[in-house]
Amino acid sequence: MLRALRHPTRLLPTAFLAALAVGTGLLMLPAARAAGEPAPFLVALFTAASSVFITGMSTVDPATYWSPAGQGIILGLIQVGGFGIMTFATVLGLMVSRRLALRTRLVAQAETRSLNLGEVRALLLRVLAMMVGFELVVAAVLTVRFRTTYDDSFGTALWHGVFHAVSAFNNAGTTLYSDSFMGFVGDPWICGTVAVAVILGGLGFPVMLELYREWRKPRYWSIHTRLTVWGSAILLLVGAGAVTAFEWSNPATLGPLNWWQTLVGGTFCGVSPRTAGFNSIDYAAARPETLALTNVLMFIGGGSAGTSGGIKVTTFFLLAFVIWAEVRGEDDVNVGARRVPAQTVRQAVTVALLGVGTVALGTLVLLLITALPFDRVLFEATAAFSTAGLSTGITASLPPAGQLTLVALMFIGRVGTITVASAIALRHRKLRYRLPEERPIIG
């Protein structure tokens, strides 16, 4: 049993379930709740899941329900979840890229906790240093802004700065404000700083490392970095521009703001669906077209081996290249001057279709156990699976079965796509025979 759990693709979900159990237990302590009483099991479980899986959804108001100790526990769970995702996904990606496909070799390396023990130790330290470094910079900017502009005491400003820096870089979306970031909708320092942290955390460690080394030479970037960087830029521009246009005249969201504040708020709404989960507008009052576009952006998510969720930018844009190659009648899928292996294409198709199936199933379950409208339920299920954490405000009103459904979606969305993708790649094998070919009718 223990030997089986040490396999890389089983270790990730097991580790996160263990963190979930520990987090739930800690949040049930009387000291974690502002009222000084133990939190109900379901509230503690949902909050721990949202923190460990860096989602940001909540059935209670984190600003008033949890004590400073409870908020500290949530902050620790967010950091553990973000660091765990980045390191596990990076190590698994390294295994795949080095074509370590022999099961016995993988198990042996997993049991010694390394690809190369010194290499993994150095990798973990680099990831940790990068995370802490960016979080400190973001925390400093936010602390100064909270202190000088919003008259917070230095202690409050520092705590809010640190908490939201960690939450932003890890794409968690949990805030210490009852209305999330709606009170800062037109503040470029708050929204801009948080947006930069969200984008950087969502790129993934491999991309950030490659950009650090080769940022002046885009022609030397790997396919993964090209798809992630240029794909993220396209999605950010489309998302920010479209949401700003959709909500420009909406009196319940961006309508009452001046043009500058509207641009700031609309841009932030284009960044947040990268699975950050911060909302500077009330999505319950957003236009249907905004909710539809946000669903798409949340489902795609951010970069692989980063703190964002979704099926990943690389998966989405690789499938776009697959369609382009098929339309042109080409046998190979080419990105730039490189050919993408057929195995990687099948892997992308599998991850995308499993994601669609998971969201569809989750939506159906929520529709069966609630009387809520379809668009709200779909938005909630997509936000949970993509670990975006955005909500139209129905999370707290869901029955226990509905909240447990969201917990399951968060778990699958956070560790499922990475585990499935890695398992497929690491189990690659060649058969010694091929069956007769026959083509079904497509379309």
Side-chain angles (χ1 to χ4, degrees):
M1 179 66 177
L2 292 177
R3 183 182 181 88
L5 290 178
R6 288 171 182 165
H7 189 282
T9 57
R10 299 190 187 102
L11 183 59
L12 178 61
T14 303
F16 272 81
L17 286 175
L20 174 62
V22 172
T24 302
L26 291 175
L27 289 174
M28 290 183 68
L29 296 175
R33 188 176 174 183
E37 302 174 355
F41 172 75
L42 186 56
V43 172
L45 174 66
F46 194 95
T47 304
S50 181
S51 302
V52 173
F53 305 143
I54 45 181
T55 304
M57 284 181 152
S58 183
T59 57
V60 296
D61 181 5
T64 58
Y65 190 88
W66 302 108
S67 67
Q71 294 171 359
I73 293 171
I74 292 172
L75 182 67
L77 293 175
I78 291 172
Q79 189 73 293
V80 168
F83 180 70
I85 281 293
M86 292 193 78
T87 53
F88 268 113
T90 301
V91 171
L92 285 173
L94 188 59
M95 284 183 171
V96 172
S97 66
R98 293 188 175 183
R99 304 182 64 82
L100 300 179
L102 295 177
R103 186 176 306 175
T104 54
R105 186 175 179 186
L106 272 178
V107 172
Q109 288 169 331
E111 289 178 345
T112 59
R113 302 175 182 232
S114 67
L115 303 163
N116 173 298
L117 190 57
E119 182 177 315
V120 170
R121 183 182 295 112
L123 176 65
L124 298 182
L125 291 176
R126 284 186 180 184
V127 174
L128 182 61
M130 180 195 69
M131 293 185 71
V132 173
F134 279 117
E135 289 169 357
L136 287 176
V137 172
V138 174
V141 175
L142 293 179
T143 299
V144 172
R145 188 64 174 177
F146 289 139
R147 179 70 181 93
T148 58
T149 305
Y150 297 95
D151 296 326
D152 289 343
S153 66
F154 177 76
T156 300
L158 178 62
W159 172 237
H160 284 193
V162 171
F163 189 97
H164 293 101
V166 173
S167 184
F169 185 82
N170 288 286
N171 280 222
T174 303
T175 76
L176 298 181
Y177 298 100
S178 300
D179 60 354
S180 189
F181 275 10
M182 291 173 61
F184 309 113
V185 62
D187 189 328
W189 283 100
I190 299 294
C191 291
T193 302
V194 169
V196 170
V198 167
I199 293 170
L200 291 176
L203 287 177
F205 178 74
V207 172
M208 296 185 69
L209 183 60
E210 188 168 348
L211 290 178
Y212 174 75
R213 294 173 175 174
E214 303 285 350
W215 68 274
R216 294 183 178 179
K217 303 175 181 178
R219 64 182 181 277
Y220 295 126
W221 291 354
S222 64
I223 290 179
H224 174 71
T225 296
R226 291 182 184 183
L227 290 174
T228 301
V229 173
W230 300 125
S232 297
I234 292 171
L235 293 175
L236 289 173
L237 290 174
V238 171
V243 172
T244 302
F246 294 156
E247 299 298 324
W248 188 279
S249 59
N250 186 347
T253 55
L254 300 180
L257 307 177
N258 62 43
W259 70 270
W260 170 246
Q261 292 174 327
T262 299
L263 290 178
V264 172
T267 301
F268 191 79
C269 290
V271 173
S272 194
R274 288 181 57 82
T275 74
F278 300 104
N279 63 289
S280 58
I281 65 171
D282 182 6
Y283 279 94
R287 299 191 188 280
E289 52 268 31
T290 298
L291 295 182
L293 176 63
T294 303
N295 275 330
V296 174
L297 295 175
M298 290 191 299
F299 184 75
I300 297 172
S304 300
T307 55
S308 59
I311 63 170
K312 310 301 183 183
V313 173
T314 46
T315 303
F316 177 78
F317 280 94
L318 178 57
L319 292 177
F321 277 99
V322 172
I323 295 173
W324 180 244
E326 190 64 29
V327 168
R328 299 182 63 182
E330 298 176 351
D331 292 331
D332 297 327
V333 178
N334 301 316
V335 179
R338 294 289 186 270
R339 176 173 54 85
V340 179
Q343 178 192 1
T344 304
V345 173
R346 294 195 300 268
Q347 183 181 351
V349 172
T350 301
V351 169
L353 291 180
L354 286 177
V356 171
T358 302
V359 171
L361 180 60
T363 302
L364 180 60
V365 171
L366 291 176
L367 287 173
L368 288 173
I369 60 179
T370 68
L372 296 169
F374 172 76
D375 59 339
R376 302 295 178 89
V377 170
L378 176 61
F379 192 91
E380 207 79 4
T382 305
F385 168 78
S386 66
T387 68
L390 295 174
S391 176
T392 56
I394 67 173
T395 306
S397 63
L398 292 175
Q403 294 178 10
L404 290 176
T405 300
L406 293 184
V407 170
L409 287 172
M410 285 188 276
F411 174 74
I412 295 172
R414 174 49 58 189
V415 303
T417 54
I418 298 173
T419 304
V420 168
S422 301
I424 292 172
L426 295 173
R427 285 177 59 86
H428 177 65
R429 60 193 179 96
K430 290 186 177 181
L431 296 176
R432 298 182 180 273
Y433 62 90
R434 299 182 72 183
L435 296 173
E437 184 178 279
E438 180 179 347
R439 291 190 178 186
I441 300 174
I442 302 297

